[in-house]
Tab-separated table of all heavy atoms in Angstrom:
chain	number	residue	atom	x	y	z
T	1	MET	N	118.844	82.692	96.669
T	1	MET	CA	117.999	81.503	96.563
T	1	MET	C	116.534	81.906	96.736
T	1	MET	O	116.201	82.675	97.621
T	1	MET	CB	118.387	80.495	97.641
T	1	MET	CG	117.543	79.241	97.623
T	1	MET	SD	117.672	78.307	99.168
T	1	MET	CE	119.425	78.148	99.379
T	2	GLU	N	115.727	81.366	95.853
T	2	GLU	CA	114.291	81.627	95.963
T	2	GLU	C	113.558	80.281	95.936
T	2	GLU	O	113.959	79.359	95.246
T	2	GLU	CB	113.823	82.497	94.798
T	2	GLU	CG	112.370	82.874	94.923
T	2	GLU	CD	111.919	83.815	93.809
T	2	GLU	OE1	112.746	84.628	93.350
T	2	GLU	OE2	110.763	83.716	93.408
T	3	LEU	N	112.510	80.210	96.710
T	3	LEU	CA	111.756	78.964	96.842
T	3	LEU	C	110.395	79.091	96.210
T	3	LEU	O	109.753	80.144	96.299
T	3	LEU	CB	111.516	78.689	98.326
T	3	LEU	CG	112.517	77.852	99.078
T	3	LEU	CD1	112.114	77.835	100.537
T	3	LEU	CD2	112.559	76.464	98.519
T	4	ARG	N	109.940	78.020	95.624
T	4	ARG	CA	108.554	77.956	95.152
T	4	ARG	C	107.939	76.657	95.646
T	4	ARG	O	108.616	75.625	95.672
T	4	ARG	CB	108.492	78.020	93.635
T	4	ARG	CG	108.997	79.351	93.124
T	4	ARG	CD	108.774	79.572	91.671
T	4	ARG	NE	109.501	80.775	91.277
T	4	ARG	CZ	110.213	80.915	90.166
T	4	ARG	NH1	110.259	79.934	89.311
T	4	ARG	NH2	110.837	82.036	89.910
T	5	VAL	N	106.695	76.725	96.023
T	5	VAL	CA	105.981	75.506	96.401
T	5	VAL	C	104.701	75.412	95.578
T	5	VAL	O	104.082	76.416	95.259
T	5	VAL	CB	105.649	75.459	97.913
T	5	VAL	CG1	106.902	75.392	98.745
T	5	VAL	CG2	104.790	76.621	98.337
T	6	ASP	N	104.367	74.205	95.219
T	6	ASP	CA	103.165	73.945	94.444
T	6	ASP	C	102.145	73.276	95.362
T	6	ASP	O	102.221	72.073	95.618
T	6	ASP	CB	103.504	73.046	93.259
T	6	ASP	CG	102.301	72.820	92.349
T	6	ASP	OD1	101.163	73.109	92.785
T	6	ASP	OD2	102.504	72.346	91.226
T	7	ARG	N	101.230	74.072	95.882
T	7	ARG	CA	100.260	73.531	96.837
T	7	ARG	C	99.316	72.517	96.200
T	7	ARG	O	98.727	71.699	96.890
T	7	ARG	CB	99.470	74.674	97.496
T	7	ARG	CG	100.313	75.411	98.555
T	7	ARG	CD	99.585	76.612	99.128
T	7	ARG	NE	98.233	76.328	99.566
T	7	ARG	CZ	97.914	75.853	100.768
T	7	ARG	NH1	98.865	75.591	101.646
T	7	ARG	NH2	96.664	75.649	101.091
T	8	GLU	N	99.173	72.557	94.890
T	8	GLU	CA	98.327	71.576	94.217
T	8	GLU	C	98.983	70.191	94.226
T	8	GLU	O	98.302	69.176	94.252
T	8	GLU	CB	98.045	72.002	92.767
T	8	GLU	CG	97.250	73.290	92.652
T	8	GLU	CD	95.907	73.201	93.378
T	8	GLU	OE1	95.220	72.184	93.210
T	8	GLU	OE2	95.565	74.134	94.132
T	9	ARG	N	100.307	70.154	94.198
T	9	ARG	CA	101.031	68.877	94.225
T	9	ARG	C	101.214	68.354	95.642
T	9	ARG	O	101.418	67.158	95.833
T	9	ARG	CB	102.415	69.041	93.593
T	9	ARG	CG	102.361	69.233	92.109
T	9	ARG	CD	103.737	69.322	91.527
T	9	ARG	NE	104.383	68.008	91.529
T	9	ARG	CZ	105.357	67.686	90.710
T	9	ARG	NH1	105.808	68.555	89.838
T	9	ARG	NH2	105.903	66.493	90.762
T	10	CYS	N	101.207	69.242	96.620
T	10	CYS	CA	101.480	68.873	98.007
T	10	CYS	C	100.468	67.835	98.488
T	10	CYS	O	99.260	67.979	98.286
T	10	CYS	CB	101.402	70.131	98.872
T	10	CYS	SG	101.596	69.816	100.635
T	11	ILE	N	100.995	66.794	99.131
T	11	ILE	CA	100.117	65.748	99.651
T	11	ILE	C	100.081	65.760	101.183
T	11	ILE	O	99.729	64.773	101.814
T	11	ILE	CB	100.531	64.356	99.138
T	11	ILE	CG1	101.982	64.039	99.528
T	11	ILE	CG2	100.328	64.239	97.629
T	11	ILE	CD1	102.381	62.594	99.285
T	12	SER	N	100.511	66.877	101.773
T	12	SER	CA	100.407	67.101	103.221
T	12	SER	C	101.239	66.134	104.040
T	12	SER	O	100.870	65.790	105.165
T	12	SER	CB	98.938	67.028	103.676
T	12	SER	OG	98.128	67.852	102.872
T	13	ALA	N	102.358	65.688	103.485
T	13	ALA	CA	103.200	64.736	104.200
T	13	ALA	C	103.922	65.385	105.379
T	13	ALA	O	104.279	64.705	106.335
T	13	ALA	CB	104.214	64.109	103.252
T	14	GLY	N	104.176	66.674	105.300
T	14	GLY	CA	104.761	67.401	106.427
T	14	GLY	C	106.263	67.261	106.580
T	14	GLY	O	106.829	67.769	107.545
T	15	MET	N	106.938	66.587	105.642
T	15	MET	CA	108.380	66.407	105.770
T	15	MET	C	109.121	67.747	105.723
T	15	MET	O	110.123	67.943	106.403
T	15	MET	CB	108.902	65.499	104.649
T	15	MET	CG	108.341	64.093	104.688
T	15	MET	SD	108.635	63.260	106.248
T	15	MET	CE	110.409	63.090	106.198
T	16	CYS	N	108.632	68.657	104.942
T	16	CYS	CA	109.301	69.960	104.813
T	16	CYS	C	109.268	70.717	106.135
T	16	CYS	O	110.280	71.271	106.563
T	16	CYS	CB	108.661	70.785	103.699
T	16	CYS	SG	106.869	71.006	103.887
T	17	ALA	N	108.113	70.731	106.791
T	17	ALA	CA	107.978	71.460	108.053
T	17	ALA	C	108.811	70.823	109.147
T	17	ALA	O	109.301	71.500	110.045
T	17	ALA	CB	106.507	71.526	108.453
T	18	LEU	N	109.000	69.502	109.078
T	18	LEU	CA	109.857	68.833	110.051
T	18	LEU	C	111.325	69.136	109.788
T	18	LEU	O	112.114	69.293	110.715
T	18	LEU	CB	109.640	67.309	109.978
T	18	LEU	CG	108.358	66.768	110.599
T	18	LEU	CD1	108.220	65.279	110.286
T	18	LEU	CD2	108.350	66.989	112.094
T	19	THR	N	111.676	69.226	108.526
T	19	THR	CA	113.080	69.393	108.144
T	19	THR	C	113.554	70.843	108.271
T	19	THR	O	114.666	71.105	108.706
T	19	THR	CB	113.288	68.900	106.698
T	19	THR	OG1	112.777	67.569	106.593
T	19	THR	CG2	114.749	68.907	106.312
T	20	ALA	N	112.716	71.778	107.892
T	20	ALA	CA	113.082	73.202	107.932
T	20	ALA	C	111.891	74.010	108.461
T	20	ALA	O	111.227	74.735	107.719
T	20	ALA	CB	113.494	73.675	106.533
T	21	PRO	N	111.643	73.906	109.775
T	21	PRO	CA	110.436	74.519	110.346
T	21	PRO	C	110.437	76.041	110.316
T	21	PRO	O	109.379	76.649	110.465
T	21	PRO	CB	110.416	73.996	111.787
T	21	PRO	CG	111.816	73.575	112.066
T	21	PRO	CD	112.408	73.139	110.761
T	22	GLU	N	111.603	76.638	110.111
T	22	GLU	CA	111.642	78.098	110.035
T	22	GLU	C	111.253	78.603	108.651
T	22	GLU	O	111.030	79.793	108.460
T	22	GLU	CB	113.028	78.634	110.443
T	22	GLU	CG	114.174	78.262	109.531
T	22	GLU	CD	114.611	76.804	109.658
T	22	GLU	OE1	114.245	76.121	110.638
T	22	GLU	OE2	115.302	76.349	108.755
T	23	VAL	N	111.155	77.686	107.713
T	23	VAL	CA	110.840	78.081	106.332
T	23	VAL	C	109.477	77.536	105.880
T	23	VAL	O	108.768	78.193	105.115
T	23	VAL	CB	111.945	77.578	105.365
T	23	VAL	CG1	111.611	77.924	103.925
T	23	VAL	CG2	113.298	78.172	105.769
T	24	PHE	N	109.129	76.351	106.370
T	24	PHE	CA	107.879	75.715	105.947
T	24	PHE	C	106.964	75.469	107.142
T	24	PHE	O	107.422	75.117	108.225
T	24	PHE	CB	108.145	74.352	105.280
T	24	PHE	CG	109.062	74.408	104.108
T	24	PHE	CD1	110.396	74.087	104.252
T	24	PHE	CD2	108.593	74.770	102.852
T	24	PHE	CE1	111.261	74.126	103.169
T	24	PHE	CE2	109.450	74.815	101.764
T	24	PHE	CZ	110.780	74.486	101.929
T	25	ASP	N	105.688	75.611	106.915
T	25	ASP	CA	104.691	75.221	107.898
T	25	ASP	C	103.593	74.484	107.132
T	25	ASP	O	103.667	74.335	105.903
T	25	ASP	CB	104.121	76.461	108.603
T	25	ASP	CG	103.450	76.123	109.928
T	25	ASP	OD1	103.338	74.926	110.276
T	25	ASP	OD2	103.021	77.067	110.612
T	26	GLN	N	102.603	74.000	107.882
T	26	GLN	CA	101.486	73.315	107.237
T	26	GLN	C	100.186	74.020	107.570
T	26	GLN	O	99.982	74.466	108.709
T	26	GLN	CB	101.406	71.869	107.711
T	26	GLN	CG	102.486	70.989	107.139
T	26	GLN	CD	102.342	69.563	107.614
T	26	GLN	OE1	102.853	69.207	108.662
T	26	GLN	NE2	101.634	68.758	106.843
T	27	ASP	N	99.310	74.088	106.607
T	27	ASP	CA	97.998	74.678	106.800
T	27	ASP	C	97.260	73.908	107.896
T	27	ASP	O	97.265	72.672	107.901
T	27	ASP	CB	97.233	74.610	105.473
T	27	ASP	CG	95.934	75.392	105.533
T	27	ASP	OD1	95.003	74.958	106.235
T	27	ASP	OD2	95.864	76.430	104.871
T	28	THR	N	96.649	74.629	108.818
T	28	THR	CA	95.987	73.947	109.933
T	28	THR	C	94.731	73.212	109.477
T	28	THR	O	94.247	72.325	110.173
T	28	THR	CB	95.610	74.951	111.033
T	28	THR	OG1	94.862	76.011	110.450
T	28	THR	CG2	96.844	75.494	111.720
T	29	GLU	N	94.208	73.551	108.315
T	29	GLU	CA	92.977	72.890	107.861
T	29	GLU	C	93.252	71.693	106.956
T	29	GLU	O	92.760	70.602	107.201
T	29	GLU	CB	92.077	73.900	107.143
T	29	GLU	CG	91.477	74.884	108.131
T	29	GLU	CD	90.396	75.739	107.508
T	29	GLU	OE1	90.044	75.492	106.340
T	29	GLU	OE2	89.929	76.643	108.206
T	30	ASP	N	94.039	71.907	105.907
T	30	ASP	CA	94.231	70.791	104.963
T	30	ASP	C	95.640	70.184	105.033
T	30	ASP	O	95.913	69.198	104.344
T	30	ASP	CB	93.895	71.213	103.530
T	30	ASP	CG	94.794	72.322	103.003
T	30	ASP	OD1	95.827	72.609	103.627
T	30	ASP	OD2	94.439	72.904	101.962
T	31	GLY	N	96.523	70.735	105.863
T	31	GLY	CA	97.852	70.159	106.038
T	31	GLY	C	98.816	70.454	104.913
T	31	GLY	O	99.968	70.022	104.950
T	32	ARG	N	98.365	71.208	103.921
T	32	ARG	CA	99.281	71.503	102.807
T	32	ARG	C	100.323	72.532	103.232
T	32	ARG	O	100.124	73.293	104.172
T	32	ARG	CB	98.493	72.019	101.605
T	32	ARG	CG	97.652	70.933	100.973
T	32	ARG	CD	97.055	71.395	99.679
T	32	ARG	NE	96.048	70.449	99.240
T	32	ARG	CZ	95.435	70.526	98.068
T	32	ARG	NH1	95.709	71.493	97.230
T	32	ARG	NH2	94.539	69.625	97.739
T	33	VAL	N	101.392	72.524	102.485
T	33	VAL	CA	102.527	73.366	102.823
T	33	VAL	C	102.154	74.851	102.809
T	33	VAL	O	101.381	75.318	101.963
T	33	VAL	CB	103.698	73.084	101.850
T	33	VAL	CG1	103.342	73.449	100.414
T	33	VAL	CG2	104.965	73.796	102.301
T	34	VAL	N	102.737	75.563	103.768
T	34	VAL	CA	102.663	77.021	103.812
T	34	VAL	C	104.100	77.522	103.820
T	34	VAL	O	104.897	77.109	104.665
T	34	VAL	CB	101.930	77.508	105.083
T	34	VAL	CG1	101.995	79.027	105.176
T	34	VAL	CG2	100.491	77.027	105.094
T	35	LEU	N	104.433	78.358	102.870
T	35	LEU	CA	105.793	78.883	102.766
T	35	LEU	C	105.921	80.103	103.671
T	35	LEU	O	105.237	81.109	103.480
T	35	LEU	CB	106.076	79.240	101.307
T	35	LEU	CG	107.515	79.560	100.921
T	35	LEU	CD1	108.462	78.440	101.323
T	35	LEU	CD2	107.590	79.823	99.431
T	36	LEU	N	106.785	80.004	104.678
T	36	LEU	CA	106.973	81.101	105.626
T	36	LEU	C	108.003	82.102	105.124
T	36	LEU	O	107.967	83.272	105.498
T	36	LEU	CB	107.428	80.547	106.985
T	36	LEU	CG	106.497	79.542	107.664
T	36	LEU	CD1	107.147	79.019	108.942
T	36	LEU	CD2	105.154	80.177	107.976
T	37	ASN	N	108.941	81.620	104.326
T	37	ASN	CA	110.036	82.484	103.883
T	37	ASN	C	110.429	82.085	102.465
T	37	ASN	O	111.024	81.040	102.251
T	37	ASN	CB	111.225	82.339	104.841
T	37	ASN	CG	112.352	83.258	104.478
T	37	ASN	OD1	112.294	83.998	103.493
T	37	ASN	ND2	113.408	83.213	105.273
T	38	ARG	N	110.084	82.924	101.504
T	38	ARG	CA	110.334	82.591	100.094
T	38	ARG	C	111.810	82.744	99.721
T	38	ARG	O	112.291	82.160	98.743
T	38	ARG	CB	109.474	83.515	99.218
T	38	ARG	CG	109.340	83.069	97.788
T	38	ARG	CD	108.248	83.860	97.092
T	38	ARG	NE	108.444	85.290	97.144
T	38	ARG	CZ	109.139	85.985	96.251
T	38	ARG	NH1	109.677	85.396	95.233
T	38	ARG	NH2	109.275	87.294	96.380
T	39	THR	N	112.543	83.552	100.492
T	39	THR	CA	113.955	83.793	100.179
T	39	THR	C	114.805	83.492	101.416
T	39	THR	O	115.232	84.405	102.123
T	39	THR	CB	114.171	85.248	99.714
T	39	THR	OG1	113.628	86.129	100.713
T	39	THR	CG2	113.486	85.508	98.385
T	40	PRO	N	115.039	82.202	101.690
T	40	PRO	CA	115.816	81.821	102.875
T	40	PRO	C	117.242	82.363	102.822
T	40	PRO	O	117.818	82.520	101.732
T	40	PRO	CB	115.826	80.293	102.836
T	40	PRO	CG	114.959	79.882	101.713
T	40	PRO	CD	114.630	81.066	100.893
T	41	VAL	N	117.777	82.626	103.996
T	41	VAL	CA	119.168	83.071	104.071
T	41	VAL	C	120.079	81.867	103.817
T	41	VAL	O	119.665	80.719	103.980
T	41	VAL	CB	119.472	83.700	105.455
T	41	VAL	CG1	118.646	84.955	105.656
T	41	VAL	CG2	119.239	82.712	106.575
T	42	PRO	N	121.344	82.134	103.425
T	42	PRO	CA	122.252	81.020	103.098
T	42	PRO	C	122.378	79.981	104.204
T	42	PRO	O	122.510	78.784	103.930
T	42	PRO	CB	123.584	81.734	102.834
T	42	PRO	CG	123.174	83.080	102.325
T	42	PRO	CD	121.928	83.431	103.096
T	43	ASP	N	122.320	80.411	105.459
T	43	ASP	CA	122.433	79.453	106.570
T	43	ASP	C	121.322	78.413	106.553
T	43	ASP	O	121.472	77.327	107.112
T	43	ASP	CB	122.386	80.184	107.918
T	43	ASP	CG	123.730	80.776	108.277
T	43	ASP	OD1	124.688	80.588	107.500
T	43	ASP	OD2	123.812	81.428	109.331
T	44	GLN	N	120.211	78.746	105.938
T	44	GLN	CA	119.074	77.830	105.898
T	44	GLN	C	119.110	76.948	104.656
T	44	GLN	O	118.264	76.076	104.493
T	44	GLN	CB	117.753	78.625	105.915
T	44	GLN	CG	117.555	79.435	107.193
T	44	GLN	CD	116.380	80.391	107.111
T	44	GLN	OE1	116.166	81.031	106.086
T	44	GLN	NE2	115.629	80.487	108.185
T	45	GLY	N	120.103	77.180	103.806
T	45	GLY	CA	120.126	76.512	102.508
T	45	GLY	C	120.148	75.006	102.577
T	45	GLY	O	119.452	74.330	101.820
T	46	SER	N	120.970	74.442	103.480
T	46	SER	CA	121.075	72.980	103.492
T	46	SER	C	119.778	72.337	103.971
T	46	SER	O	119.351	71.318	103.435
T	46	SER	CB	122.265	72.525	104.341
T	46	SER	OG	122.097	72.940	105.675
T	47	ALA	N	119.139	72.945	104.977
T	47	ALA	CA	117.869	72.392	105.457
T	47	ALA	C	116.798	72.505	104.378
T	47	ALA	O	115.990	71.593	104.187
T	47	ALA	CB	117.427	73.110	106.728
T	48	VAL	N	116.807	73.610	103.657
T	48	VAL	CA	115.819	73.805	102.593
T	48	VAL	C	116.057	72.811	101.453
T	48	VAL	O	115.121	72.215	100.922
T	48	VAL	CB	115.879	75.256	102.081
T	48	VAL	CG1	115.098	75.421	100.801
T	48	VAL	CG2	115.358	76.204	103.152
T	49	GLY	N	117.320	72.605	101.106
T	49	GLY	CA	117.642	71.633	100.065
T	49	GLY	C	117.229	70.228	100.466
T	49	GLY	O	116.714	69.470	99.643
T	50	GLU	N	117.451	69.902	101.727
T	50	GLU	CA	117.050	68.588	102.220
T	50	GLU	C	115.529	68.452	102.175
T	50	GLU	O	114.998	67.407	101.794
T	50	GLU	CB	117.565	68.391	103.648
T	50	GLU	CG	117.343	66.990	104.170
T	50	GLU	CD	117.855	66.823	105.596
T	50	GLU	OE1	118.652	67.660	106.050
T	50	GLU	OE2	117.427	65.856	106.249
T	51	ALA	N	114.824	69.517	102.555
T	51	ALA	CA	113.360	69.484	102.528
T	51	ALA	C	112.855	69.222	101.113
T	51	ALA	O	111.934	68.432	100.895
T	51	ALA	CB	112.792	70.795	103.068
T	52	ALA	N	113.489	69.870	100.143
T	52	ALA	CA	113.075	69.667	98.754
T	52	ALA	C	113.321	68.227	98.324
T	52	ALA	O	112.528	67.640	97.580
T	52	ALA	CB	113.824	70.640	97.841
T	53	GLN	N	114.419	67.633	98.836
T	53	GLN	CA	114.746	66.253	98.455
T	53	GLN	C	113.800	65.247	99.088
T	53	GLN	O	113.455	64.239	98.474
T	53	GLN	CB	116.180	65.931	98.855
T	53	GLN	CG	117.197	66.496	97.907
T	53	GLN	CD	118.572	65.909	98.155
T	53	GLN	OE1	118.884	65.469	99.262
T	53	GLN	NE2	119.396	65.897	97.136
T	54	VAL	N	113.414	65.509	100.342
T	54	VAL	CA	112.585	64.512	101.023
T	54	VAL	C	111.091	64.670	100.714
T	54	VAL	O	110.307	63.786	101.033
T	54	VAL	CB	112.795	64.536	102.558
T	54	VAL	CG1	114.236	64.178	102.899
T	54	VAL	CG2	112.388	65.857	103.169
T	55	CYS	N	110.709	65.774	100.110
T	55	CYS	CA	109.296	65.956	99.775
T	55	CYS	C	108.847	64.857	98.816
T	55	CYS	O	109.394	64.723	97.725
T	55	CYS	CB	109.082	67.318	99.134
T	55	CYS	SG	107.381	67.534	98.531
T	56	PRO	N	107.884	64.042	99.201
T	56	PRO	CA	107.508	62.891	98.369
T	56	PRO	C	106.744	63.271	97.100
T	56	PRO	O	106.616	62.450	96.195
T	56	PRO	CB	106.624	62.056	99.307
T	56	PRO	CG	106.092	63.020	100.301
T	56	PRO	CD	107.147	64.073	100.479
T	57	SER	N	106.264	64.494	97.028
T	57	SER	CA	105.471	64.870	95.858
T	57	SER	C	106.201	65.821	94.918
T	57	SER	O	105.661	66.219	93.893
T	57	SER	CB	104.152	65.510	96.307
T	57	SER	OG	104.413	66.735	96.948
T	58	GLY	N	107.428	66.193	95.269
T	58	GLY	CA	108.178	67.110	94.414
T	58	GLY	C	107.538	68.480	94.323
T	58	GLY	O	107.629	69.155	93.292
T	59	ALA	N	106.941	68.913	95.427
T	59	ALA	CA	106.214	70.181	95.406
T	59	ALA	C	107.091	71.391	95.692
T	59	ALA	O	106.642	72.525	95.567
T	59	ALA	CB	105.080	70.130	96.435
T	60	ILE	N	108.346	71.128	96.082
T	60	ILE	CA	109.241	72.232	96.458
T	60	ILE	C	110.293	72.423	95.375
T	60	ILE	O	110.970	71.485	94.984
T	60	ILE	CB	109.934	71.918	97.797
T	60	ILE	CG1	108.888	71.740	98.904
T	60	ILE	CG2	110.929	73.027	98.160
T	60	ILE	CD1	109.452	71.194	100.200
T	61	THR	N	110.414	73.639	94.885
T	61	THR	CA	111.403	73.956	93.860
T	61	THR	C	112.338	75.034	94.376
T	61	THR	O	111.883	76.040	94.922
T	61	THR	CB	110.720	74.473	92.579
T	61	THR	OG1	109.755	73.509	92.153
T	61	THR	CG2	111.735	74.693	91.467
T	62	LEU	N	113.628	74.799	94.210
T	62	LEU	CA	114.647	75.789	94.569
T	62	LEU	C	115.106	76.493	93.309
T	62	LEU	O	115.481	75.851	92.335
T	62	LEU	CB	115.859	75.101	95.185
T	62	LEU	CG	115.770	74.672	96.632
T	62	LEU	CD1	116.968	73.820	96.989
T	62	LEU	CD2	115.718	75.890	97.516
T	63	VAL	N	115.076	77.807	93.335
T	63	VAL	CA	115.539	78.588	92.197
T	63	VAL	C	116.770	79.354	92.646
T	63	VAL	O	116.709	80.111	93.620
T	63	VAL	CB	114.447	79.574	91.734
T	63	VAL	CG1	114.911	80.336	90.507
T	63	VAL	CG2	113.149	78.824	91.451
T	64	SER	N	117.880	79.125	91.983
T	64	SER	CA	119.109	79.814	92.366
T	64	SER	C	119.020	81.285	92.014
T	64	SER	O	118.597	81.647	90.911
T	64	SER	CB	120.315	79.198	91.648
T	64	SER	OG	120.496	77.885	92.095
T	65	GLY	N	119.411	82.110	92.950
T	65	GLY	CA	119.423	83.550	92.692
T	65	GLY	C	120.777	83.997	92.208
T	65	GLY	O	121.679	83.196	92.018
T	66	ASP	N	120.925	85.286	92.016
T	66	ASP	CA	122.204	85.859	91.569
T	66	ASP	C	123.201	85.902	92.714
T	66	ASP	O	122.830	86.037	93.830
T	66	ASP	CB	121.996	87.271	91.032
T	66	ASP	CG	121.143	87.226	89.771
T	66	ASP	OD1	121.228	86.222	89.032
T	66	ASP	OD2	120.404	88.194	89.566
G	1	SF4	S1	107.028	67.678	102.203
G	1	SF4	FE1	106.065	68.113	100.216
G	1	SF4	S2	104.153	66.986	100.260
G	1	SF4	FE2	104.860	67.155	102.363
G	1	SF4	S3	103.884	69.018	103.184
G	1	SF4	FE3	105.865	69.598	102.390
G	1	SF4	S4	105.477	70.254	100.283
G	1	SF4	FE4	103.719	69.062	100.941
């Protein structure tokens, strides 16, 4: 699994960092998403998937790996 975030779309809602804090953080200045881990381990998959679903701006994309 590989993650992509679009910081231009991010509206600093912070739902991702609340849902999967080990994978997402927020910039201390503008509040936009900061990706801590681009390739989460399988154990983190459900939290990451939930974060992508709850993101109000659709800024998080999950790319399935091999
Ligand atoms: S949930 Fe979406 S809009 Fe909110 S900080 Fe994360 S990426 Fe940005």
Side-chain angles (χ1 to χ4, degrees):
M1 179 197 308
E2 184 176 327
L3 269 175
R4 295 189 189 138
V5 295
D6 184 345
R7 284 175 50 86
E8 296 302 314
R9 289 183 73 156
C10 176
I11 58 169
S12 309
M15 297 303 293
C16 55
L18 285 173
T19 307
E22 65 286 345
V23 178
F24 303 99
D25 199 355
Q26 287 181 273
D27 189 290
T28 53
E29 289 190 6
D30 62 13
R32 290 189 192 186
V33 64
V34 174
L35 191 54
L36 301 176
N37 183 358
R38 195 168 56 88
T39 54
V41 296
D43 279 358
Q44 297 170 319
S46 61
V48 168
E50 187 180 343
Q53 282 193 334
V54 297
C55 174
S57 66
I60 300 170
T61 305
L62 281 171
V63 183
S64 294
D66 295 329

